[in-house]
Amino acid sequence: MKNTFSYGTIFSESGANFVVCPAFCDVHVHFREPGRPDKETILSGCRSAAAGGYTCVCPMPNLDPVPDSEEHLEKELEIIRRDAFIDVIPYASITIGRKGLEVVDVASLKGSVVAFSDDGSGVQDERTMRRAMELIAGEGCILAAHCEDNSLLRGGYIHDGVYAKAHGHRGICSESEWKQIERDLKLAGETGCAYHVCHVSTAGSIDVIRRAKDRGVNVTCETAPHYLVLCEDDLKEEGRFKMNPPLRAASDRAALIEALQDGTIDMIATDHAPHTAAEKSKGLEGSAMGVTGLETAFPVLYTFLVRKGVIPLEKLIGLMSVAPRERFRLPVRPDDRVTLDLGAKWTIDSSKFFSKGHSTPFDGMEVFGKCVKTEYKGKTIYDAE
């Protein structure tokens, strides 16, 4: 068969288990630079992305300084221009300092960013969020929201479920996520803002998003591989199982899978969030929230979704490659490609990651499917050989 493709279509290479398809695109990563280069840099993040089959990534704005002004954003853009060898298109924050109080100058920032987000924290004040949506809608941009109602957190750090109760941990209730999504979807409907929900993790969130789509709200959403493959039943007393939002109940995972199948979930993003080994060595209670994901996303999803018949390979490629580019108007090139060896059987070893972050709940897991070559603008930027 052909070994080229038109965008969004997969073609098998003759006589092998290989496919060549559009390179992946991740609209939710954390590269930590400027601010914490000990966790990740633009360069190490790009290496990790290329090894996972990605040629386009969008770093979130929880940086130092926060990209909330042209001056602050330029510090990040300067590093990107110097070190990036794939498309690295950052977010600007929604509010100054990501403090949830004063909306940034959207018009001055929109030309250099993919969208606006305060990821890492939810915008708590409804009036501030309404004003942000009005400004962002007026400039034809997208608002990508981390939805979390701080008044409902109560000091929690894992899901408020069976595991938390059995092991004496403080839980994060599902309502803290879906309640703010519900508020925002009302505002998005009233303002006409293009609205995107980050890292959806609960059945309640799916319900309110599905209903909003039915009534015509301009909303899309993403979830991450760990929410589709794991749940609270898989928790261990280790920092590599701690992220925000947390791993939820098995029933939440089932709702996410159904939403993936029926199109309520529009795309898959990794929420690649590297931390130092010291920050992830303090168990579930004391460790920093966040896990790495770029180098494990495809094999984990291929193993547990495609090989098990949950979704076809073509749909997975669409969720990882096509949908994020279409929604966020990101570069589309027929010579941005990834070659995947679907027959490869291997064990995830985080010590071999290109990322500076080595904390993943998938460490030691046996998986199928591997990125063997990534091409950006027709040039090979990663070769497993």
Side-chain angles (χ1 to χ4, degrees):
M1 297 178 66
K2 297 179 182 179
N3 61 4
T4 58
F5 62 89
S6 58
Y7 195 78
T9 305
I10 301 168
F11 292 85
S12 296
E13 292 187 348
S14 177
N17 289 316
F18 295 89
V19 296
V20 180
C21 66
F24 304 140
C25 173
D26 194 338
V27 296
H28 192 146
V29 302
H30 299 268
F31 279 1
R32 310 300 189 191
E33 196 175 31
R36 288 297 304 270
D38 54 325
K39 296 188 182 192
E40 192 81 291
T41 63
I42 298 297
L43 181 57
S44 65
C46 286
R47 287 172 173 161
S48 179
Y54 292 85
T55 61
C56 183
V57 293
C58 302
M60 285 296 180
N62 48 345
L63 302 168
D64 185 11
V66 175
D68 56 7
S69 66
E70 290 181 272
E71 178 186 1
H72 289 168
L73 176 62
E74 179 57 29
K75 295 181 184 299
E76 182 181 4
L77 293 174
E78 182 180 356
I79 302 170
I80 291 171
R81 287 192 292 266
R82 184 190 71 203
D83 292 342
F85 57 89
I86 61 174
D87 291 325
V88 178
I89 306 173
Y91 284 84
S93 61
I94 297 170
T95 63
I96 294 175
R98 294 178 47 253
K99 295 180 179 180
L101 301 174
E102 184 179 352
V103 181
V104 301
D105 184 348
V106 175
S108 70
L109 294 167
K110 68 174 184 176
S112 300
V113 300
V114 62
F116 293 81
S117 181
D118 270 6
D119 188 58
S121 55
V123 176
Q124 302 302 304
D125 182 68
E126 181 173 337
R127 288 175 298 179
T128 301
M129 183 56 99
R130 179 185 290 276
R131 179 59 177 157
M133 286 190 181
E134 289 171 346
L135 291 171
I136 290 169
E139 297 294 338
C141 300
I142 296 174
L143 187 152
H146 172 120
C147 293
E148 188 171 41
D149 185 334
N150 291 351
S151 70
L152 298 173
L153 295 181
R154 306 183 185 102
Y157 47 86
I158 65 169
H159 176 60
D160 187 18
V162 174
Y163 187 95
K165 292 177 175 62
H167 294 82
H169 290 296
R170 293 189 299 278
I172 299 175
C173 67
S174 297
E175 186 180 10
S176 66
E177 177 178 296
W178 66 256
K179 195 71 174 176
Q180 195 165 93
I181 295 174
E182 186 176 58
R183 179 204 72 180
D184 284 359
L185 288 171
K186 174 178 176 291
L187 296 176
E190 292 170 354
T191 62
C193 183
Y195 179 75
H196 179 77
V197 189
C198 296
H199 44 48
V200 172
S201 71
T202 77
S205 301
I206 293 299
D207 181 56
V208 296
I209 292 168
R210 186 179 281 128
R211 285 189 279 112
K213 287 189 171 190
D214 287 344
R215 63 177 186 267
V217 177
N218 185 357
V219 55
T220 53
C221 67
E222 70 189 46
T223 194
H226 38 276
Y227 304 120
L228 294 167
V229 173
L230 304 174
C231 67
E232 65 171 340
D233 299 341
D234 301 294
L235 284 172
K236 297 180 182 179
E237 295 294 313
E238 302 173 26
R240 65 191 181 99
F241 289 89
K242 185 178 182 181
M243 68 287 292
N244 189 27
L247 296 178
R248 301 290 188 177
S251 57
D252 291 301
R253 180 179 61 184
L256 294 177
I257 290 174
E258 181 182 354
L260 205 68
Q261 294 169 324
D262 70 17
T264 302
I265 292 176
D266 301 274
M267 64 196 73
I268 296 174
T270 66
D271 195 6
H272 175 85
H275 294 287
T276 65
E279 290 170 319
K280 294 297 289 183
S281 65
K282 302 174 183 178
L284 287 176
E285 181 174 2
S287 293
M289 287 179 165
V291 295
T292 57
L294 285 167
E295 293 169 65
T296 58
F298 177 78
V300 165
L301 294 168
Y302 176 71
T303 300
F304 291 94
L305 297 184
V306 177
R307 283 178 60 90
K308 293 189 176 184
V310 177
I311 58 173
L313 178 61
E314 290 83 357
K315 184 171 181 66
L316 179 60
I317 299 303
L319 291 162
M320 296 180 69
S321 299
V322 182
R325 284 186 170 91
E326 289 181 345
R327 173 58 162 172
F328 286 86
R329 302 184 293 274
L330 292 163
V332 173
R333 302 184 194 93
D335 51 359
D336 279 14
R337 304 182 294 190
V338 58
T339 303
L340 303 165
D341 180 358
L342 302 183
K345 181 180 179 181
W346 58 290
T347 300
I348 293 172
D349 180 354
S350 65
S351 69
K352 297 180 179 178
F353 285 175
F354 286 87
S355 172
K356 287 189 174 186
H358 299 277
S359 184
T360 169
F362 302 122
D363 208 7
M365 183 176 288
E366 187 176 82
V367 291
F368 289 84
K370 195 163 191 173
C371 169
V372 294
K373 185 167 71 172
T374 305
E375 299 168 84
Y376 174 67
K377 298 182 178 179
K379 178 184 176 182
T380 299
I381 58 171
Y382 172 77
D383 190 326
E385 296 300 320

